Amino acid sequence: MFGGGRGFFNPKVNGNSVSVDKKVSGSTSGSVNDWEYEAEINIDTSASVSSEGADYEVEASASASVKSPDNVTGVQVEAEISGEIKTSGSIDSEGNHQNDGTEVSADFDIDGL
């Protein structure tokens, strides 16, 4: 998996350190009983490992939305939710972990009520 720059992570070798970066995303959309929906997720990770230890960073975000069908009164409801989490840190050669911080955010919105 890590050999020769091939495989899932495609590592970069620089002197006596190895770093990997990987971005993954996915989405879906459709409708169920005339309700429309969309959802998306994104994950971005990176890590660097050397004889002195390792540094890492992870960022993930997701969002989803849904829209109701028009009803007889013409009222249509739309809702959207999204969130994000970010964290980073390091582990030294003795196994000591230091988290540089974690941020979490979320948002929720409803229109049409």
Side-chain angles (χ1 to χ4, degrees):
M1 181 183 259
F2 292 106
R6 305 177 91 193
F8 185 72
F9 288 105
N10 294 324
K12 298 176 187 97
V13 179
N14 182 10
N16 65 350
S17 67
V18 176
S19 62
V20 289
D21 296 307
K22 186 64 183 174
K23 294 182 180 187
V24 179
S25 62
S27 63
T28 186
S29 62
S31 65
V32 175
N33 295 329
D34 294 329
W35 285 73
E36 297 176 16
Y37 66 88
E38 292 182 2
E40 177 180 53
I41 187 167
N42 297 293
I43 302 171
D44 186 1
T45 61
S46 64
S48 176
V49 180
S50 71
S51 59
E52 297 175 5
D55 296 314
Y56 65 89
E57 187 173 313
V58 178
E59 184 175 328
S61 63
S63 63
S65 64
V66 63
K67 181 169 45 171
S68 72
D70 290 329
N71 66 18
V72 178
T73 62
V75 175
Q76 189 173 39
V77 177
E78 295 183 45
E80 192 170 309
I81 187 169
S82 62
E84 183 174 83
I85 185 168
K86 297 179 185 179
T87 189
S88 62
S90 60
I91 302 170
D92 67 21
S93 60
E94 296 176 4
N96 300 310
H97 177 253
Q98 177 180 334
N99 183 293
D100 295 335
T102 300
E103 300 174 22
V104 178
S105 63
D107 187 38
F108 184 74
D109 188 33
I110 297 178
D111 292 324
L113 293 179

